[in-house]
Amino acid sequence: MKILVTGGLGYIGSHTVVALQNDGYEVIIIDNLSNSNIKVLHQIKKITGILPDFEKIDLRDKEAVSLFFKQYKIDGVIHFAGSKAVGESVEKPLLYYENNLTTLITVLKEMQKNKVSHFIFSSSCTVYGQADKLPITENAPIKPAESPYGATKKMGEIIIKDTTKASTIKAIALRYFNPIGAHKSALIGELPLGVPQNLIPFVVQTAAGIQKTLSIFGNDYPTPDGTAIRDYIHVVDLAKAHIAALKRLITNKNKTNCEFFNIGTGKGSSVLEVVKAFEKATGKKVNFKIVDRRAGDITTAYADTSLANKELGWKAELNLEDALKSAWAWQLKQ
Ligand code: UD1
């Protein structure tokens, strides 16, 4: 089967391409290289022995996308392409709505036109905001978005759900918790542009001496050590969840035409616990200071993964230590 992976040279996309190829799928990647590097294509080949097909297309270019769908016979789409920096989305909302929503509509329209029916979407636990109950189940209420980025995930889910009601497209939206880590080969990983915004890239760059001091955003949260709690999921486990979701659609195991699954480990770790775990796993010291809370941050989020465990037959296999070690190995190769 031939699977289109949009944004397939990005962080989660590249790990998913590896997982797809390891599972025998043929992959074609569309990427505009706006936040990725063409070298990743060759790194994927080093890992799997197969060079995936690649088209440099910007999904905002409707004609190019239309031509692509005419040219290739595709059996399914895993859609990663989009922008993901929360802060940037506040500064440039229209860019985010265009990059994340008009492109989604373009892809869905072409799928409909060309009778491609399997669609997997990168959603986020950001749709739950600060959930009232923990762990967070898929039935938790969807909260008002804290940023345009968050709004694109929420609206993206609505667009997909409505489309599946009125077409032959069947979709699964995976709500990722916090993806971290890198492939064990250290050939692919996260490549943050400029100063990292997310915790693990900042921790790793501080340990490497690229950043001087990690700022921990707040130690006055109502948590045991006062720092915020997240569910950090190894990107290799996350990649495998996409294969499980795709298989569910291909084998008609889906219960409705648009399903939502939490993808996390089910375990919450505080920022201080992550820093300590990193120091223990790598033997490297991380200088840190406590600063004010970051606007828009929630206190605690971790997943109830029982639905994904049961329905997708998927479960996170790697732990925080594995993920932090792999993130460090990746940093050492940079
Ligand atoms: C963020 C986004 C989320 C997105 C995800 C993608 C926000 C509010 N949420 O999640 O929508 O899906 O990235 O990966 O931005 N921290 C520090 N110091 C740092 C960086 C982070 O203390 O330098 C803390 C944060 O306050 C937070 C935790 O580390 O408590 C995790 O932060 P981060 O990695 O940025 O992820 P989220 O904010 O959970």
Side-chain angles (χ1 to χ4, degrees), residues 245-295:
L246 185 66
K247 276 194 183 142
R248 180 172 173 89
L249 294 181
I250 291 170
T251 55
N252 285 315
K253 298 256 167 60
N254 53 305
K255 294 203 169 127
T256 62
N257 282 345
C258 187
E259 295 182 310
F260 303 89
F261 293 104
N262 287 343
I263 304 297
T265 64
K267 188 178 175 298
S269 306
S270 74
V271 178
L272 275 173
E273 282 170 345
V274 168
V275 171
K276 296 293 159 220
F278 180 86
E279 290 183 336
K280 190 162 169 249
T282 64
K284 298 296 291 184
K285 180 103 192 67
V286 179
N287 298 320
F288 69 82
K289 60 177 182 206
I290 307 291
V291 301
D292 286 347
R293 291 183 181 192
R294 180 170 70 178

Side-chain angles (χ1 to χ4, degrees), residues 192 194-196 200-212 328 331:
V195 179
I200 306 309
F202 208 106
V203 165
V204 163
Q205 288 197 10
T206 307
I210 300 166
Q211 309 292 339
K212 255 199 187 139
W328 180 238
Q331 177 61 43

